[in-house]
Amino acid sequence: MAARYDKRYFDKWYRHPGHRVSTPAATARKAALAVAIAEYYLERPVRTVLDVGCGEGQWKAILQRLRPRIRYEGIDASEYAVARYGRSRHLRLGTFGQLPDLDLAPSYDLIICSDMLYYVPRGELDRGLAAIAAHLGGVAFLEAYATADALVGDIQDIDERDAAFYRRLFRRHALVPCGSHCYLGPELAGMVTALERDG
Ligand SMILES: C[S@@+](CC[C@H](N)C(=O)[O-])C[C@H]1O[C@@H](n2cnc3c(N)ncnc32)[C@H](O)[C@@H]1O
């Protein structure tokens, strides 16, 4: 699996003019959204970020432009990405399902799973989300799409998951939605109003 996310994968989907589906501008918009929502609920600047399935760690520079003092940690299953950028961008090798076994900090202000949850095998989802909920002091940006959503990109092998599947999954881990792919963990869940949850 890790071999699939090699240099060719990132060149094709991130850099090739005819194939790329992600641009730095789109990532910057997502990062601005996630930081703003996290800071709204935390009532202070974001200081610590865990980026799960971080790829080449492209969020790091974007987040540090927004908040220069942020401490960023990335985890990814791609041996290529970690070998190439691990040291310079603070990335470590690991899968979603291995999160409970990694030496994570006790708490993160912002946990990101961007453009990656649909690749995670079903058997890994509960283990990874349990760790995310346990280490979430602020907001989790969990970008999940149902199969019915109009997806483009590298989606041939992703398995069928509807919105109800993801709702049940997040509810099992007491992750409370507050809109736009953002979720609060047990520490801040009490701050979400009824209409924010439904949005
Ligand atoms: C489309 S890239 C997204 C990279 C980055 N998060 C972004 O937003 O640009 C998908 C990433 O998910 C990673 N990935 C896929 N399955 C994974 C798993 N089970 N555990 C950890 N990372 C995984 C891949 O290695 C790849 O880097």
Side-chain angles (χ1 to χ4, degrees), residues 1-2 4-6 9-10 13-14 21-22 27 30 51-59 75-79 81 94-98 112-121 124 143 154:
M1 186 269 283
R4 176 178 167 199
Y5 302 103
D6 56 9
Y9 170 91
F10 289 96
W13 298 112
Y14 284 82
V21 287
S22 175
T27 305
K30 287 190 212 176
D51 187 359
V52 183
C54 61
E56 294 177 329
Q58 47 270 57
W59 277 64
I75 309 278
D76 200 277
S78 164
E79 285 171 12
T95 66
F96 197 80
Q98 288 167 346
I112 298 157
C113 295
S114 162
D115 207 1
M116 65 82 63
L117 275 174
Y118 31 79
Y119 296 127
V120 176
E124 287 185 39
E143 191 183 14
D154 177 33

Side-chain angles (χ1 to χ4, degrees), residues 78-149:
S78 164
E79 285 171 12
Y80 148 75
V82 174
R84 173 77 181 77
Y85 294 106
R87 190 188 283 259
S88 60
R89 298 185 181 170
H90 205 201
L91 319 182
R92 279 193 285 162
L93 196 61
T95 66
F96 197 80
Q98 288 167 346
L99 284 178
D101 310 319
L102 301 177
D103 187 22
L104 300 177
S107 177
Y108 296 89
D109 294 339
L110 177 60
I111 300 184
I112 298 157
C113 295
S114 162
D115 207 1
M116 65 82 63
L117 275 174
Y118 31 79
Y119 296 127
V120 176
R122 283 187 184 221
E124 287 185 39
L125 285 169
D126 277 305
R127 271 178 67 76
L129 277 171
I132 286 173
H135 293 267
L136 183 60
V139 163
F141 179 77
L142 306 176
E143 191 183 14
Y145 294 101
T147 317
D149 292 323

